Amino acid sequence: MSTPDTPRVAIVTGGSGGIGRDICQRLAADGMTVVVHYAGNPDRAKEVVESLVAAGATATSVGADVADEKQVATLFDEVERLYGGVDVVVHTAGIMLLSPLVDLELADLDRMHRTNIRGTFVVNQQAASRLRRGGALVNFSSSVVRLALPTYTAYAATKGAVDAVTLTLARELRGRDITVNAVAPGPTATPLFLNGKDQDAIDHLANMAPLERLGTPADIAEVVAFLAGPARWVNGQILYANGGIA
């Protein structure tokens, strides 16, 4: 367990992405040492690290394919070598490929299965093995699991699997003083979400929420910071961060 003189250490998978970047910044602002994971863009991860260090934080970047158990084990090995242990794992890494079920390319289903489901299993296995007492694991689900929006069938199915892993793993870690939760964002203004949508579609999704706007990465990062830090009595939950859509 980290001490008041030893900052908590957080790994953020997909930490160079839209929501991931804000999560890294928010956890660093809370005094955590942040490891920015990336899959294929080391330069973007380096930019995030440089911004964190410039703000006075301790940070580094490490690459890995989240669905490759050897690479993910090496990622955790490197973090333990650098900082002595891991206290928080935030697993944001995922992909979203949209299509009505009848037109779905099964290759797209396989890609999402590999990253979103297998990747969650692999990262969660390492987190369950490595997190120190008092630690927190935060997975990423999606509000589309409950909203059942057309064209999201396969993506929602992969995130339903994330829910199942999260709820069960929280109980499997009984006695370890480790919380396991998931955040389920609603429509959030990130490149992943906005890609391929026209303005009418974006406006429609924004107006679904009683707050009449899209979420921002900072909105989601705030929820993650709560689960990663003070929320020690929140465990085995899926938190819907969607502005009240449902």
Side-chain angles (χ1 to χ4, degrees):
M1 181 183 293
S2 58
T3 68
D5 297 325
T6 306
R8 283 160 67 81
V9 178
I11 298 173
V12 181
T13 70
S16 61
I19 292 176
R21 178 186 294 257
D22 276 61
I23 291 170
C24 290
Q25 292 170 344
R26 184 65 175 77
L27 297 183
D30 285 347
M32 295 190 194
T33 294
V34 177
V35 178
V36 181
H37 159 269
Y38 64 91
N41 194 329
D43 292 338
R44 193 166 62 182
K46 181 181 177 182
E47 291 174 5
V48 177
V49 169
E50 289 174 347
S51 71
L52 298 177
V53 172
T58 300
T60 192
S61 60
V62 182
D65 174 357
V66 294
D68 185 313
E69 63 271 30
K70 292 181 180 179
Q71 291 188 30
V72 174
T74 299
L75 161 65
F76 277 77
D77 287 343
E78 179 67 4
V79 175
E80 289 178 342
R81 184 188 70 79
L82 289 171
Y83 304 118
V86 182
D87 301 288
V88 174
V89 174
V90 183
H91 181 47
T92 79
I95 60 174
M96 181 172 66
L97 304 170
L98 303 183
S99 168
L101 186 146
V102 70
D103 299 321
L104 179 68
E105 295 287 344
L106 293 181
D108 287 346
L109 175 64
D110 291 342
R111 286 180 60 199
M112 284 190 287
H113 183 283
R114 186 178 189 279
T115 298
N116 298 356
I117 300 181
R118 180 183 170 90
T120 297
F121 269 87
V122 170
V123 171
N124 281 220
Q125 279 186 326
Q126 289 298 322
S129 299
R130 312 273 195 132
L131 281 167
R132 296 186 281 204
R133 293 190 68 83
L137 169 60
V138 183
N139 286 320
F140 260 66
S141 179
S142 172
S143 288
V144 298
V145 175
R146 194 159 69 185
L147 295 176
L149 298 176
T151 75
Y152 284 83
T153 312
Y155 177 72
T158 68
K159 292 303 184 177
V162 173
D163 289 358
V165 171
T166 300
L167 299 177
T168 306
L169 182 58
R171 288 149 181 80
E172 291 180 351
L173 296 185
R174 172 183 290 272
R176 294 275 306 279
D177 190 24
I178 294 170
T179 61
V180 185
N181 296 288
V183 178
T188 305
T190 66
L192 176 68
F193 172 77
L194 296 173
N195 183 45
K197 295 181 175 68
D198 61 28
Q199 191 60 48
D200 287 343
I202 293 169
D203 291 343
H204 170 73
L205 291 165
N207 287 325
M208 289 175 65
L211 297 177
E212 297 184 328
R213 66 173 177 86
L214 295 176
T216 67
D219 291 326
I220 310 306
E222 192 71 24
V223 179
V224 171
F226 172 65
L227 295 175
R232 298 307 305 165
W233 198 233
V234 179
N235 189 30
Q237 303 298 317
I238 313 299
L239 269 67
Y240 280 77
N242 60 26
I245 291 176

